[in-house]
């Protein structure tokens, strides 16, 4: 697991002035990665690192070869269109590049004169997915979400017998993952109006968001070789924000016996920035399991994983609508939650995914599943907030929502904070619902 080093020093300041502002998401202690190009151009996309309100163009930086050793090797892996080549290296290379970038971006750095001309303002950038995502697996690791959803179908027995023993997941669709998505409302079959009738067909009526984090796989494993829990985080490049949209009415009709299909694969939106596990080291938290619950099987358990396997990542969901934007109203908060409340953690997901010999590949993405907290206001979806559509959610400008309407925009933010330490932000995950085609 990542250890604290000089890159985490709270006293560090950058020669990029905006990185030193108290409200900056991207201080020199963060240094998250994205794939970008200047907006409105035909430039090739390439990797970049955020510092304040700027982006360090890593492909341009590689051309001047300012680093040596493992850092130089890692920087040369940042000359393609995405981050897959960098992700394919090991954690020692990622750490070396992070250290070199940290030193080059600090106040008084000798490389300032060579790097400053390579900065691109974030306001002038557009983004693609950080990696070419070959495979996507969505998990279901919030016991609070699983219980709330289960109560709507099985009030007396909301959790299925396997839930507390195994990280539940399913194979999702990678091709429809994107950043800053504007997608059409999905169309599909829905439950018949009466028993024995033909199913209904048309636009989804119960469209929902899901508050999640995405886990980007770094170095993979050979097919047939499992990844041990102690080694799991060395195979994780970093985390992003994920909104795995859900068509609840389509899902209710199709999910038995094989689970979600068209209800989930029409769109999944992620934030452009990937925050490395090393940047999150100061925000580790103990991971625990209630003594009354089944304890993880040995391959998913260790003293170290219990001591620091969770991450204190605060998350927030906001909504804006066509009406609120027309009135100039700011987006309204729907809920807040925290990743540390998840029933399973990152290392356990990697280990369980490979325990049968499944091979992970650099750039693969795992979704956490909806991250709801223990309190009602920490629900990570509208189906929970509205109690299955029975209780409308009131918005400050006078509208109500049980599920999403056309024109609604969902904004998810995530950050890590602690006293005496700069804020580590994940940026924003933004998606907008358009009318069905």
């Amino acid at each position: 697991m990542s250890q604290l080093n000089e890159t985490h020093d709270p006293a560090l300041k950058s020669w990029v002035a905006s990185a030193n502002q108290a409200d900056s998401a991207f201080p020199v202690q963060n240094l998250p990665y994205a794939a970008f190009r200047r907006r409105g151009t035909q430039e090739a996309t390439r990797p970049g690192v955020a510092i304040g309100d700027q982006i360090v163009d890593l492909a341009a930086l590689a051309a001047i070869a300012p680093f040596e050793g493992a850092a130089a090797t890692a920087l040369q892996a940042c000359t393609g269109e995405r981050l897959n080549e960098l992700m394919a290296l090991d954690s020692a290379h990622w750490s070396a590049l992070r250290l070199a970038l940290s030193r080059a971006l600090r106040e008084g750095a000798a490389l300032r004169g060579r790097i400053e001309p390579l900065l691109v303002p974030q306001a002038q950038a557009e983004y693609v997915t950080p990696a070419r995502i070959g495979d996507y697996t969505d998990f279901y690791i919030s016991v609070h979400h699983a219980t709330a959803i289960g109560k709507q179908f099985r009030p007396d027995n909301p959790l299925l017998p396997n839930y507390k023993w195994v990280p539940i997941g399913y194979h999702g669709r990678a091709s429809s993952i994107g950043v800053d998505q504007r997608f059409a409302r999905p169309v599909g079959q829905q439950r018949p109006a009466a028993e024995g009738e033909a199913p209904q067909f048309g636009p989804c009526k119960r469209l929902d968001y899901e508050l999640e984090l995405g886990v980007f796989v770094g170095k993979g494993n050979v097919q047939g070789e499992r990844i041990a829990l102690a080694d799991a985080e060395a195979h994780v490049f970093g985390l992003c924000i994920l909104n795995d949209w859900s068509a609840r009415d389509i899902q209710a009709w199709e999910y038995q016996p094989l689970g979600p299909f068209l209800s989930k694969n029409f769109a999944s939106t992620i934030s452009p920035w990937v925050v490395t596990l090393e940047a999150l080291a100061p925000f580790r938290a103990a991971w625990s399991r209630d003594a009354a619950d089944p304890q993880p099987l040995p391959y998913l358990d260790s003293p170290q994983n219990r001591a620091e396997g969770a991450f204190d990542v605060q998350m927030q969901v906001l909504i804006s609508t066509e009406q609120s934007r027309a009135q100039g109203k700011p987006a309204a908060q729907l809920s807040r939650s925290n990743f540390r409340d998840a029933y399973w953690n990152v290392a356990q997901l990697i280990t369980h995914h490979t325990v049968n010999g499944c091979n992970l590949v650099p750039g693969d993405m795992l979704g956490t599943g909806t991250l709801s907290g223990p309190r009602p206001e920490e629900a990570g979806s509208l189906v929970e907030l509205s109690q299955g559509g029975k209780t409308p959610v009131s918005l400050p400008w006078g509208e109500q929502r049980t599920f999403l309407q056309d024109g609604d925009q969902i904004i998810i933010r995530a950050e890590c904070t602690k006293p005496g330490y700069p804020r580590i932000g994940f940026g924003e995950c933004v998606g907008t619902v358009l009318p069905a085609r």
Side-chain angles (χ1 to χ4, degrees):
M1 294 184 173
S2 302
Q3 302 298 315
L4 296 181
N5 56 48
E6 67 177 79
T7 67
H8 302 105
D9 184 352
L12 294 179
K13 300 295 182 183
S14 174
W15 50 260
V16 179
S18 59
N20 304 323
Q21 297 173 359
D23 61 350
S24 175
F26 305 127
V28 74
Q29 291 84 356
N30 191 350
L31 305 179
Y33 292 88
F36 79 102
R37 67 182 175 191
R38 289 178 178 83
R39 184 181 295 115
T41 71
Q42 297 301 311
E43 296 176 346
T45 61
R46 64 270 193 192
V49 158
I51 180 71
D53 59 6
Q54 304 290 311
I55 304 170
V56 180
D57 185 333
L58 292 180
L61 185 62
I64 64 175
F67 304 147
E68 297 180 347
T73 301
L75 183 58
Q76 285 301 315
C78 296
T79 57
E81 294 184 351
R82 310 287 175 102
L83 288 160
N84 295 71
E85 291 181 45
L86 177 62
M87 292 176 172
L89 299 177
D90 57 30
S91 58
H93 283 86
W94 306 335
S95 186
L97 179 57
R98 173 181 163 80
L99 176 60
L101 288 169
S102 172
R103 290 174 174 172
L105 292 167
R106 297 176 197 173
E107 285 182 336
L111 285 173
R112 174 176 179 173
R114 302 182 72 187
I115 294 179
E116 197 161 18
L118 309 180
L119 297 180
V120 177
Q122 291 178 30
Q124 297 176 16
E126 61 184 14
Y127 303 93
V128 294
T129 57
R132 294 181 298 277
I133 303 170
D135 275 301
Y136 165 49
T137 302
D138 193 30
F139 283 93
Y140 194 49
I141 69 171
S142 169
V143 69
H144 308 294
H145 174 70
T147 301
I149 297 299
K151 283 181 178 179
Q152 296 182 21
F153 298 97
R154 301 175 299 277
D156 298 328
N157 189 27
L159 293 180
L160 295 174
N162 62 353
Y163 187 84
K164 292 186 175 182
W165 287 103
V166 58
I168 303 297
Y170 75 96
H171 190 74
R173 182 74 179 174
S175 64
S176 51
I177 300 174
V179 300
D180 196 12
Q181 286 183 317
R182 297 170 59 83
F183 63 91
R185 177 177 296 271
V187 171
Q189 291 190 30
Q190 296 138 44
R191 191 182 300 279
E195 188 73 27
E197 293 184 359
Q200 302 176 72
F201 180 81
C204 164
K205 303 179 187 70
R206 294 164 68 91
L207 184 62
D208 203 355
Y209 66 87
E210 291 191 346
L211 168 63
E212 305 193 23
L213 287 175
V215 181
F216 271 103
V217 174
K219 186 178 181 181
N221 60 301
V222 176
Q223 186 174 4
E225 295 185 3
R226 63 178 66 102
I227 297 174
L229 188 68
D231 302 325
E233 287 191 2
H235 293 263
V236 176
F237 183 74
L239 308 181
C240 69
I241 307 170
L242 167 63
N243 182 349
D244 196 28
W245 309 88
S246 185
R248 302 291 182 188
D249 44 359
I250 296 174
Q251 184 172 350
W253 176 238
E254 74 176 5
Y255 83 102
Q256 292 177 320
L258 295 180
F261 179 38
L262 299 182
S263 57
K264 302 290 291 184
N265 66 7
F266 56 92
S268 299
T269 310
I270 62 175
S271 57
W273 297 104
V274 181
V275 178
T276 63
L277 287 198
E278 190 169 11
L280 296 176
F283 305 96
R284 287 188 173 276
W287 177 87
S288 62
R289 178 61 53 83
D290 192 300
D293 281 357
Q295 300 306 296
L297 294 181
Y299 79 98
L300 292 174
D301 202 2
S302 74
Q304 185 179 17
N305 189 63
R306 287 186 180 246
E308 55 178 356
F311 293 94
D312 185 359
V313 182
Q314 303 163 42
M315 307 186 71
Q316 177 189 33
V317 184
L318 303 102
I319 186 172
S320 75
T321 70
E322 288 186 340
Q323 179 176 319
S324 71
R325 293 191 293 274
Q327 296 175 357
K329 303 287 187 181
Q333 178 177 298
L334 289 172
S335 66
R336 299 184 70 96
S337 68
N338 196 304
F339 185 34
R340 67 167 179 246
D341 294 323
Y343 201 72
W344 302 97
N345 61 39
V346 170
Q348 290 167 325
L349 298 188
I350 294 290
T351 294
H352 182 67
H353 204 310
T354 64
V355 73
N356 67 341
C358 174
N359 54 313
L360 299 178
V361 175
D364 284 354
M365 194 181 82
L366 314 183
T368 59
T370 305
L371 294 172
S372 299
R375 291 177 287 275
E377 65 272 18
E378 295 174 322
S381 63
L382 275 173
V383 72
E384 295 170 84
L385 289 172
S386 70
Q387 298 181 330
K390 298 175 184 177
T391 307
V393 176
S394 295
L395 303 177
W397 47 86
E399 289 185 282
Q400 293 184 325
R401 289 291 185 273
T402 51
F403 293 97
L404 297 173
Q405 296 184 12
D406 293 347
D408 287 355
Q409 182 178 82
I410 294 295
I411 304 162
I412 304 179
R413 298 170 181 160
E415 64 179 7
C416 299
T417 61
K418 64 187 296 186
Y421 198 84
R423 170 177 175 249
I424 300 298
F426 286 66
E428 292 186 339
C429 173
V430 181
T432 306
V433 181
L434 302 179
R437 296 194 180 116

